[in-house]
């Protein structure tokens, strides 16, 4: 089955073509228009998706050497995400499906991330533990089967990627912050500052706002005392990164003591972080479990994961809204549009 995937939930426009679970094309156009604002501006995002979506589709079809009539199924992200941005991809996909008389499947963006581990070699085995770490979400899930996902915990305030982005802004490094923090942390001292690992009533929940505030206090103190040097930036970045990564790995250790899983998967944009990846591989060795982390191109937002999840729904003849309640953050407005 040839599946066309469409992803426009935030600041990446992506079109993918899959031949069953083989990715033939996965084109991602990142929007740099937000850089000067230090964060994503929703209106600019929607406009950029509108500009990019058709040229990307044409390029993807060319790359796959296919005509639009050869597409068997269309899947697009329905949420969660920026409403205007989502509407571009969703409306485009639905209209295209109607025009070529092919089925259309709306896909939950987080579910796309959860199953992105199946796009690379060595799939996770059920049941698996899945940490979703992105700019908008931080979740720890027990994935029992394709359609049975149990939430163990989630962030009670900021998402981990958001924390990386905000700390990067505080340090004057720019947007998106994750890769920049990682770069400066590489030459900093992880132990220069003892930043807190947020805790919560539910031991599986995450909290990153206290960590962010602690970084702010240190930045303010150094600025008040005198000059803010490059070595201060590197040390703060390294100590922050260590605390943020530990917040995730700590919950994985808890989960390993309480749940019997076959694999552990790390997905989402922050899964590109080298320290986090390495710590997950150490966890895999400790518990003798397979660690599945997608290739970098499938960690951040991409349409290949949306096409893959859409295909799973189509083959199982499942209704999208059945699992939607598992993720209350999925905007309710979008359901009235489906
Ligand atoms: O999954 P994603 O592309 O978008 C959302 O669904 O949110 O994740 C984007 C997030 C951003 O916050 C970005 O700073 C973060 O992923 N990120 C990283 C790294 N690369 C991207 N965070 C830490 N280390 C990285 N190497
Ligand atoms: Zn995402």
């Amino acid at each position: 089955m040839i599946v066309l995937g469409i992803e426009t939930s935030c600041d990446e426009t992506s079109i993918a073509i899959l031949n069953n679970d083989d990715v033939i094309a996965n084109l991602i156009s990142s929007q740099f228009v937000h850089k000067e604002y230090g964060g994503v501006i929703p209106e600019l995002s929607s406009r950029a998706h509108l500009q990019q979506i058709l040229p990307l589709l044409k390029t993807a079809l060319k790359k796959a050497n296919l005509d639009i009539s050869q597409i068997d199924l269309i899947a697009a992200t329905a949420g969660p995400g920026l409403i205007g941005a989502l509407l571009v991809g969703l409306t485009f996909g639905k209209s295209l499906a109607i025009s070529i008389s092919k089925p259309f499947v709306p896909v939950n963006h987080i579910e796309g991330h959860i199953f992105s581990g199946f796009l690379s070699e060595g799939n996770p085995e059920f049941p698996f533990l899945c940490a979703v770490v992105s700019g908008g979400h931080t979740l720890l899930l027990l994935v029992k089967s394709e359609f049975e996902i149990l939430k163990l915990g989630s962030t009670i305030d900021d998402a981990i990627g958001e924390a990386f982005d905000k700390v990067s802004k505080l340090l004057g490094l720019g947007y998106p912050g994750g890769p920049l923090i990682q770069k400066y942390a590489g030459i900093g001292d992880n132990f220069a500052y003892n930043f807190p690992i947020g805790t919560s009533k539910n031991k599986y929940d995450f909290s990153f706002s206290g960590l962010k505030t602690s970084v702010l206090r240190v930045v303010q103190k150094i600025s008040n005392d005198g000059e803010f040097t490059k070595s201060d930036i590197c040390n703060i970045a390294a100590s922050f990164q260590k605390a943020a990564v530990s917040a995730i790995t700590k919950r994985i250790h808890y989960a390993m003591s309480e749940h019997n899983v076959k694999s552990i998967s790390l997905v989402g944009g922050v899964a590109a972080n080298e320290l986090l990846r390495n710590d997950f591989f150490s966890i895999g060795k400790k518990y003798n479990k397979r660690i599945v982390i997608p290739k970098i191109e499938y960690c951040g937002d991409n349409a290949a994961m949306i096409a893959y999840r859409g295909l799973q729904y189509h083959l199982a003849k499942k209704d999208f809204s059945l699992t939607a309640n598992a993720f209350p953050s999925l905007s309710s407005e979008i359901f009235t549009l489906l």
Side-chain angles (χ1 to χ4, degrees):
M1 209 170 189
I2 305 288
V3 191
L4 176 74
I6 301 168
E7 157 61 36
T8 63
S9 66
C10 192
D11 58 345
E12 257 97 29
T13 317
S14 180
I15 297 275
I17 298 175
L18 266 61
N19 183 355
N20 294 314
D21 51 7
D22 262 0
V23 182
I24 316 178
N26 183 39
L27 304 181
I28 302 167
S29 164
S30 297
Q31 302 176 352
F32 296 107
V33 63
H34 309 287
K35 263 201 159 112
E36 62 180 292
Y37 303 98
V40 179
I41 308 292
E43 176 68 16
L44 295 180
S45 164
S46 313
R47 285 166 191 254
H49 286 308
L50 266 177
Q51 282 170 344
Q52 288 300 319
I53 201 159
L54 192 54
L56 270 185
L57 172 65
K58 287 183 178 164
T59 314
L61 287 169
K62 205 168 166 191
K63 189 166 178 222
N65 201 17
L66 290 171
D67 180 78
I68 189 72
S69 60
Q70 290 170 284
I71 300 290
D72 300 309
L73 176 72
I74 299 181
T77 304
L82 303 170
I83 187 77
L86 287 166
L87 282 174
V88 175
L90 201 54
T91 315
F92 182 80
K94 247 187 144 174
S95 315
L96 196 58
I98 292 168
S99 74
I100 59 169
S101 304
K102 295 292 163 64
F104 174 79
V105 194
V107 172
N108 179 307
H109 179 83
I110 303 172
E111 292 187 28
H113 277 301
I114 296 168
F115 291 89
S116 61
F118 289 79
L119 293 170
S120 309
E121 292 287 302
N123 291 348
E125 272 183 284
F126 295 111
F128 67 90
L129 202 59
C130 183
V132 182
V133 287
S134 75
H137 305 276
T138 310
L139 293 159
L140 186 62
L141 308 164
L142 186 60
V143 187
K144 295 183 170 179
S145 69
E146 272 182 18
F147 296 99
E148 255 184 304
I149 305 167
L150 186 74
K151 188 170 93 175
L152 300 179
S154 60
T155 181
I156 56 165
D157 40 56
D158 292 346
I160 182 170
E162 201 180 344
F164 270 90
D165 294 336
K166 285 180 178 167
V167 167
S168 173
K169 202 173 176 182
L170 275 176
L171 297 177
L173 300 179
Y175 179 87
L180 291 161
I181 293 276
Q182 175 173 300
K183 183 177 148 200
Y184 284 84
I187 40 172
D189 175 4
N190 287 359
F191 299 95
Y193 301 94
N194 190 14
F195 290 133
I197 299 170
T199 51
S200 172
K201 252 194 261 165
N202 167 11
K203 66 175 185 236
Y204 289 118
D205 279 347
F206 305 88
S207 168
F208 292 98
S209 70
L211 170 58
K212 187 188 63 192
T213 310
S214 299
V215 174
L216 173 67
R217 297 273 175 272
V218 168
V219 170
Q220 282 171 337
K221 185 169 184 317
I222 297 174
S223 309
N224 289 342
D225 289 351
E227 214 187 327
F228 201 69
T229 66
K230 186 175 173 193
S231 124
D232 292 327
I233 293 178
C234 296
N235 289 340
I236 294 172
S239 306
F240 159 78
Q241 180 180 253
K242 181 180 142 277
V245 165
S246 303
I248 306 296
T249 53
K250 190 173 162 179
R251 271 73 178 186
I252 299 288
H253 288 294
Y254 289 153
M256 290 311 291
S257 67
E258 292 184 348
H259 298 279
N260 196 5
V261 295
K262 294 212 170 112
S263 320
I264 306 170
S265 184
L266 175 70
V267 299
V270 184
N273 186 273
E274 275 167 28
L275 181 66
L276 188 56
R277 293 171 89 91
N278 291 338
D279 282 3
F280 263 66
F281 286 119
S282 305
I283 287 174
K285 276 198 190 117
K286 178 175 160 82
Y287 296 102
N288 196 23
K289 301 288 173 195
R290 183 193 293 172
I291 298 294
V292 180
I293 308 177
K295 280 189 202 158
I296 298 283
E297 67 168 308
Y298 305 132
C299 283
D301 291 346
N302 69 89
M305 67 182 192
I306 302 303
Y308 183 81
R309 187 62 177 154
L311 179 62
Q312 283 184 323
Y313 268 92
H314 181 75
L315 295 177
K317 297 189 173 53
K318 285 263 185 196
D319 182 353
F320 168 74
S321 58
L322 284 179
T323 56
N325 286 341
F327 303 106
S329 51
L330 184 61
S331 89
S332 57
E333 303 107 279
I334 213 81
F335 283 112
T336 58
L337 301 165
L338 296 175

